[in-house]
Amino acid sequence: MHGLMMDTQLSISSFIQHAETVHRNAEIVSRKPEGGIFRYTYAEAGKRSRQAANVLKKLGVKAGDRVATLAWNTHRHFELYFAVSGSGAVLHTVNPRLFPEQIIFILNHAEDAVLFLDIQFVPLIEKIKSQLPLLKHIIVMVDKDKMPQSSLSLQCYEELLAAESDRFEWPVLDEQSASSLCYTSGTTGHPKGVMYSHRSTVVHALASVAGDALGISSSSVVLPVVPMFHVNAWGVPYAAAATGAKLVLPGAGMDGASIFELVDNEKAQLLLGVPTVWLALLQFCEKEKKKLHSVEKVVIGGSAAPMSMIREFQEKHDAFVIHAWGMTEMSPMGTLNTMNPYMASLSQEERYKLQTKQGRPIYGVKIRIVDANGNEMPHDGKTFGRLQVSGPWIAKSYYKVEDRSAWQGDWFDTGDVATIDAQGYMNIVDRAKDVIKSGGEWISSIDVENIAIGHPAVAECAVVGVPHPKWDERPLLLVVKKPGQDVTKEEMLAYLSDKIVKWWMPDEVLFVTDLPHTPTGKLLKRDLRETYKSVFSS
Ligand code: ADP
């Protein structure tokens, strides 16, 4: 027997329709890539999204067509989130930090005919346009008087918008239809496309705003530093529109000074981003003796949040860190480590320790750990296993890729190695390919890094497994020192010695001026392993 409820299709346009009627006057603030701060309301954002939907219609964009963006977190990008998906097309957010060859690959793979871009990326497109045979319309998101000179035929977003009516009927779409597309950066092989649906996006947003998740409401002031070109800024634009939260968008200003200025001026309460961004912000605050007065919570994900960072936010800025884990294939929310009665019952030091874990699954996501044969492993907080996930906002295959070897039945294998304890807390031990295999045992490179980064002279560090004649692999610690600070190898090892077991101690410590990163800010360990492969054999 079926229930007797309306089968209203879940749709991304419903977010903006809700925001512009119920939260008309709530604010959106955006740092414009061409300079200056822009502010308007959800009512105006709704109107401009409808105008943008009419622009798409005029350009000949049809349901299911992919429409690309190369853009920072701005109000114009926000409008496209609703205009493109809401009108039935697929928003393909392209990461401008990828190598040009990768950008060419994914624009061609997705068959984008229309591209909206920020002014900074015009030179990039000029360089690669000849290799993008399907691309017909290039629209620069600036005012008319700021349009750049170019060898390409460029159109102006503001001019196109101004010519359109704000009357547009959002179509009723099948909730399973594709809404947006994001390629994983793919440290090996080609990037792979994850195709989200209206249903997955809406359900993810509803779960993520809950009190025990991100806790976003109409009283929140949210600043996603995580880019809108990477997993839809962790779904924050949708969550903000669903709740009417004030949304603060940092544009191209990702450095410590720019983020601080925006946080301070707009009284941001909830910040979201990867650890490298917070390193820069915390270093800025330390140097300039600034406090993040308005910030209540900082969501850290994408890479492990070290205890020293969790502590610094808490003790210097009164800001609680929510450590989160997820991935492009998961829209991306998987687990979150939020305050609850159990955490509240712990001493401050025990809390910090618990906060270094990536937390518990949010409602909707199931997690488990398995051995090499796919057998489930115990949740005892000690046993390592491959982390698998299942749920309504997790990919079931990649876009136009036959290979489904990452799936085991209804479970997606994340490529991460983790433990899960009896209370459901998950702790990422490592990426399966980064875990260090020493004498038949495993060493977590992340654990050693998280301790080493606590040394006051260390700005950034990486631990990688390097081939060793006797032990298979041994850990090598690479350290970038803070400007004006010094530390020797012996001091570094002495610092670690009472914090980790003896056989986890790095066999060598090298000081470097910088470390390589992926386009999404993670350490590029494959390159480090290659560069230092002979350290223990030469
Ligand atoms: P990409 O694959 O494009 O680099 P993703 O955001 O999809 O970017 O990366 C997901 C991976 O990032 C996870 O599988 C995990 O290895 C790592 N990761 C994400 N959050 C955390 C975290 N809090 N702690 C440790 N690793 C994390």
Side-chain angles (χ1 to χ4, degrees):
M1 179 156 110
H2 279 163
L4 296 173
M5 308 310 282
M6 294 188 186
D7 49 5
T8 308
Q9 298 296 291
L10 303 177
S11 69
I12 286 176
S13 60
S14 69
F15 289 131
I16 195 70
Q17 291 184 77
H18 174 76
E20 70 169 315
T21 48
V22 178
H23 304 287
R24 292 191 65 73
N25 298 322
E27 254 189 315
I28 299 170
V29 181
S30 157
R31 190 188 285 285
K32 293 202 280 185
E34 68 271 30
I37 299 286
F38 177 86
R39 56 182 77 232
Y40 68 172
T41 61
Y42 280 103
E44 290 161 289
K47 177 172 172 265
R48 280 171 55 95
S49 300
R50 281 179 269 117
Q51 287 175 291
N54 280 324
V55 170
L56 294 168
K57 205 163 146 194
K58 197 161 277 173
L59 295 174
V61 174
K62 307 224 165 31
D65 286 356
R66 275 75 60 205
V67 173
T69 59
L70 260 176
W72 302 109
N73 293 10
T74 69
H75 65 290
R76 295 175 179 126
H77 206 177
F78 180 80
E79 291 154 10
L80 290 173
Y81 262 51
F82 303 100
V84 175
S85 308
S87 61
V90 178
L91 180 79
H92 174 202
T93 52
V94 182
N95 182 346
R97 297 189 184 129
L98 294 173
F99 294 118
E101 304 75 58
Q102 290 178 313
I103 294 180
I104 295 167
F105 171 83
I106 64 176
L107 286 170
N108 286 331
H109 189 261
E111 301 169 75
D112 299 298
V114 178
L115 168 68
F116 290 86
L117 78 175
D118 282 335
I119 189 160
Q120 283 93 341
F121 306 121
V122 170
L124 167 71
I125 288 300
E126 284 172 342
K127 250 183 245 145
I128 63 176
K129 172 69 185 77
S130 62
Q131 295 169 74
L132 302 170
L134 303 172
L135 186 59
K136 285 204 238 109
H137 299 285
I138 305 171
I139 298 140
V140 189
M141 294 196 280
V142 279
D143 293 327
K144 193 161 176 247
D145 59 348
K146 299 253 172 34
M147 276 297 282
Q149 292 290 335
S150 173
S151 53
L152 299 174
S153 148
L154 302 176
Q155 300 171 69
C156 170
Y157 182 74
E158 292 298 339
E159 200 180 1
L160 292 178
L161 224 65
E164 292 304 325
S165 149
D166 61 11
R167 290 172 67 93
F168 182 84
E169 279 292 316
W170 298 111
V172 175
L173 305 166
D174 174 350
E175 64 180 23
Q176 296 285 5
S177 53
S179 60
S180 59
L181 173 64
C182 181
Y183 284 72
T184 65
S185 37
T187 39
T188 52
H190 282 310
K192 292 192 280 293
V194 178
M195 186 67 93
Y196 308 106
S197 67
H198 285 262
R199 179 184 141 84
S200 71
T201 307
V202 172
V203 185
H204 177 264
L206 296 183
S208 70
V209 298
D212 271 336
L214 300 180
I216 299 181
S217 74
S218 58
S219 311
S220 310
V221 183
V222 186
L223 192 156
V225 184
V226 53
M228 288 168 75
F229 55 73
H230 188 55
V231 212
N232 303 323
W234 297 351
V236 171
Y238 308 117
T243 56
K246 174 174 168 183
L247 182 63
V248 185
L249 300 169
M254 304 285 192
D255 59 292
S258 306
I259 298 289
F260 180 84
E261 183 192 55
L262 213 51
V263 168
D264 208 45
N265 288 346
E266 303 304 328
K267 308 273 173 285
Q269 298 161 333
L270 176 68
L271 315 183
L272 305 96
V274 299
T276 40
V277 166
W278 306 132
L279 273 180
L281 178 64
L282 289 172
Q283 278 174 23
F284 170 83
C285 291
E286 190 180 306
K287 199 163 143 250
E288 302 294 326
K289 307 215 174 350
K290 302 275 193 199
K291 187 172 169 182
L292 299 161
H293 289 286
S294 58
V295 179
E296 291 165 12
K297 294 181 205 159
V298 183
V299 182
I300 306 185
S303 299
M307 195 196 287
S308 52
M309 184 176 281
I310 297 170
R311 185 190 291 275
E312 193 168 341
F313 270 120
Q314 188 68 55
E315 294 178 3
K316 296 208 176 132
H317 302 281
D318 261 334
F320 177 77
V321 166
I322 299 179
H323 195 179
W325 167 86
M327 56 198 310
T328 306
E329 290 86 338
M330 300 175 69
S331 305
M333 302 271 175
T335 64
L336 288 160
N337 204 342
T338 49
M339 182 57 81
N340 59 22
Y342 169 61
M343 193 188 280
S345 74
L346 301 176
S347 70
Q348 189 61 61
E349 284 307 311
E350 286 168 330
R351 268 188 213 180
Y352 288 146
K353 224 165 135 194
L354 181 64
Q355 281 180 278
T356 62
K357 295 192 174 193
Q358 283 74 3
R360 304 191 293 180
I362 65 172
Y363 166 76
V365 172
K366 288 194 292 178
I367 64 172
R368 67 177 192 182
I369 44 174
V370 299
D371 66 14
N373 300 317
N375 302 312
E376 274 200 62
M377 317 273 279
H379 293 189
D380 58 10
K382 289 193 284 271
T383 310
F384 292 9
R386 291 185 72 100
L387 181 60
Q388 298 190 334
V389 292
S390 184
W393 53 80
I394 294 165
K396 62 179 177 195
S397 62
Y398 292 110
Y399 178 52
K400 294 199 283 191
V401 174
E402 294 282 300
D403 179 14
R404 286 191 77 255
S405 55
W407 284 265
Q408 183 182 338
D410 280 343
W411 292 89
F412 171 68
D413 191 307
T414 62
D416 287 332
V417 174
T419 62
I420 302 175
D421 71 17
Q423 307 209 59
Y425 281 92
M426 187 276 285
N427 193 13
I428 296 282
V429 173
D430 234 324
R431 293 292 291 168
K433 57 187 189 307
D434 293 336
V435 77
I436 301 164
K437 292 153 196 102
S438 172
E441 300 283 350
W442 284 3
I443 299 173
S444 159
S445 64
I446 294 183
D447 277 4
V448 184
E449 284 161 6
N450 282 350
I451 293 167
I453 193 85
H455 189 287
V458 176
E460 205 189 0
C461 64
V463 174
V464 286
V466 171
H468 187 281
K470 178 159 173 211
W471 299 109
D472 192 12
E473 281 180 354
R474 287 296 301 156
L476 162 71
L477 170 61
L478 298 156
V479 172
V480 181
K481 291 182 211 169
K482 282 188 189 159
Q485 303 262 17
D486 209 9
V487 56
T488 63
K489 170 180 166 182
E490 290 68 31
E491 285 163 350
M492 204 61 236
L493 291 175
Y495 177 80
L496 295 176
S497 65
D498 59 346
K499 299 180 184 69
I500 53 175
V501 289
K502 214 166 157 208
W503 63 276
W504 281 36
M505 286 290 278
D507 279 22
E508 182 61 280
V509 182
L510 298 176
F511 295 95
V512 292
T513 49
D514 53 21
L515 289 165
H517 293 96
T518 67
T520 54
K522 296 174 214 289
L523 286 166
L524 201 49
K525 295 201 174 170
R526 187 197 49 189
D527 282 17
L528 291 172
R529 278 192 291 270
E530 182 57 30
T531 310
Y532 296 100
K533 65 181 178 210
S534 314
V535 169
F536 301 136
S537 50
S538 54

